[in-house]
Amino acid sequence: MPTWTRPRPDRPAAAGGLPFPRRTALALGGTGLMLLASRAMAAVPADDRLRIDRLIALMTIEEKAGQLTLLADPFRWRPTGVNPGDADDLNTDQARIARMIRAGGLGALFNGVGAAAGRSLQRLAVEESRLGIPLLFAADIIHGLHTIFPVPLAEAASWDPELARQTARAAAREAAASGIHQTFAPMVDIGRDQRWGRVVEGAGEDVLLGRLFADARVRGFQGDDLTRPDALLATPKHFAAYGAAEAGLDYAGVEISLPTLHEVYLPPFETAFAAGAGAVMSAFHELNGVPATGNGWLLTDLLRRRLGFAGFVVADYTADAELVAHGVAEDERDAARIAFLAGVEMSMQSGLYLRHLPDLVAAGEVPLALVDAAVRRVLAAKAALGLFADPYRGTDPERERLVLADPATLALARQAARRSAVLLKNEGNLLPLPRAGQRIALIGPFGDDPANLFGPWSIFADPERAVTVAQGLRAAMADPALLLVEPGSDVEAPIQAGIDRAVAAADAADLVILAIGESAAMSAEAQSRVEIVVPPAQQDLAEAVAATGRPVVVLLKTGRALALSGAVLDARAILVTWFLGSEEGHAVADLLFGDHAPSGRLPVSFPRFSGQQPFYYSRKPTGRPERPGDSAFKARFRETPNRARFPFGHGLTYGRVRYEDLRVEPAHLPWDGTLTVTATLRNLGNRPAEEVAQLYVRDRVAKLTRPVRLLKAFSRATVPASGTAEIRFTLRRQDLEYVGPDLLPTVEPGLFDLWVAPDAESGLQARFELLA
């Protein structure tokens, strides 16, 4: 099985500077950004490069502003309630949008799907506009289109980047067949504060997992050739450090050191760019006092000049207009100027570039050369997608029908759901359950609820592909009549006599499956939580059901780590089911009845209390660390040790694996040599076990303080029942490097601690020395 190690950026990143002030904008000129635009053209066929040059020469400034504008699609079916301003006339006035397309005044539409209507829209642009430039169709394809896969955080719990590549590939096939060219994904923000609602969209708290899943998802969405009819242009987001929002409050500001920015929050973007991502989305928040969408240092100096990104930058939904509310722009015209000069090529939904860019150019406040460079990058993306050669790609209704009906996609969704669930607890080997002879009470608001199994950002989901837990259990049980189903409560409120009916069902059963947790709306954008706990109405339900004395299995639906307590924490078994998508019910039944064993591992640390946040395994040491038996005047809260309830990397299976015989050879790592780490995994159970062995390192002495542990690699191994398996890792000096005070990779000779472990707080420990 593969051993996953940290990808390395092609070049080190540096930082410095501020956004461009009004009176120095012209001093930039267009040369530097035109050179960057020419990089974007490198992969574009020569004929298309000539075509783009001719088009730019022919365009009016109004047409150029149109190519840099993205508006919601009012023609094809579009979800409501996804973003603010859904009633805006830009969303609903079809006649106006049609006139804009015919006039060449609009370059892209988003969040409309459907092949047939897409063909009609593209015909307006290609056959009825003056220059015939095709439209770019984009959408929020986060974890599936019609078929929904596990939410990204859940999929990260598989610790299987290849699985993520496959699901992104399948999502791209469905979306591309439905007339979509670009996805606003993957989200590659590191999420270390579980109060932040958007943790659900990323790969969790760890940089290595973040990089591996960023790489996998970009390659999955884009495939091997963007011109193929099943490819989507990937758009990693949100640049940058959006996940470090103060207090976990969505849209709040971020104050962060440059070494932390470069070591924690930028690497997943670097990996996504190295994988070929053709676009990137700017973020809503401010970074060190400057809003990201108006931050010239971030979007030009760092993104383009230092990281070498050559694609185009799209603002998040109306983020350019929000520069006024941030307090850095006088009005919307000023906001358009600041965002464009900072490096935002495409304005989403605000319409600011349409309204103000022509005047800003005429007034000399925005150089025309910069506008041409931005247009060239957008047209290069369209050329890379093959839209000039085939503007009607993705507009064949018959192909759409066949792709959306592919049974292999549902089979993949079921596999992904099984591999994403995490077994936190299984006292007395309560799981797996017998398929027959046991009366089961399925209690909780998510037991037979199709509305919340898809999770957030599943806006195009096919409701016919929603298999609830109740449906999955009935399909798997020898006698479905032995399943009793009671909601017991709503998600956040009690229901009349709900607990009484739930207790009666529990009393009549041999075992309770308690399906509780968060709704899809609770783990999402703008859904930060003060207390990351099971909602009180459901906690009360759990306490009442537990009082019956029946053994309880908790199915925990969540898009973040939760602080579990009381009857939920005390349940005999806890299976984290996240939001597993279209095949959730079948996948959960597969696991509960033992057709497959759980194999997921936590990508986030489950804390003991909400007040520990932000809490993550790779935290820094202090001068007064807490030690066993020594907690006075140490770095800890009064109420709890400085440990997770369920640590990062934790996950059980139906085997029982013991780690033995750790070997580090040689004990001294030469500066340009290698070091081999091996260990034996022994399965003490009577079923095969799929184990994810993790390699952690701590640098004892460095110029900057280093984390108490840092994941460097992991290896998946199948350990036969009552048998053993050997796992092996290789370390080099480069694997030990960190971002130094000068923002360059560095490492000093000296001692390192090393663990081979099943999670971030346990395992076998050794030591080695890096030689000069």
Side-chain angles (χ1 to χ4, degrees), residues 665-666 668-676 730-734:
E665 298 172 337
H668 303 282
L669 172 60
W671 188 256
D672 291 318
T674 60
L675 177 149
T676 301
T730 300
L731 277 176
R732 302 182 302 162
R733 178 249 310 163
Q734 292 89 339

Side-chain angles (χ1 to χ4, degrees), residues 49-90:
R49 290 201 297 271
L50 291 173
R51 184 202 306 263
I52 290 170
D53 288 339
R54 288 196 297 268
L55 286 172
I56 290 174
L58 291 171
M59 281 181 179
T60 65
I61 184 60
E62 288 76 16
E63 289 169 325
K64 292 173 181 177
Q67 286 300 310
L68 305 180
T69 295
L70 171 68
L71 297 181
D73 185 340
F75 298 93
R76 299 185 284 176
W77 179 84
R78 208 171 38 75
T80 59
V82 177
N83 286 297
D86 279 335
D88 191 290
D89 64 350
L90 289 176

Side-chain angles (χ1 to χ4, degrees), residues 416-437:
R418 285 195 301 260
R419 295 183 67 82
S420 298
V422 181
L423 183 62
L424 298 184
K425 187 178 179 183
N426 190 22
E427 288 182 356
N429 295 321
L430 178 62
L431 298 178
L433 302 174
R435 198 179 294 273

Side-chain angles (χ1 to χ4, degrees), residues 59 66 102 139 186 230 268 328 414 449 514 543 602 622 651 654 667 704:
M59 281 181 179
R102 288 190 180 97
D230 60 355
V328 298
R414 186 168 179 167
D449 169 40
L514 195 58
E543 301 295 339
L602 291 179
T622 79
Y654 292 152
L704 298 179

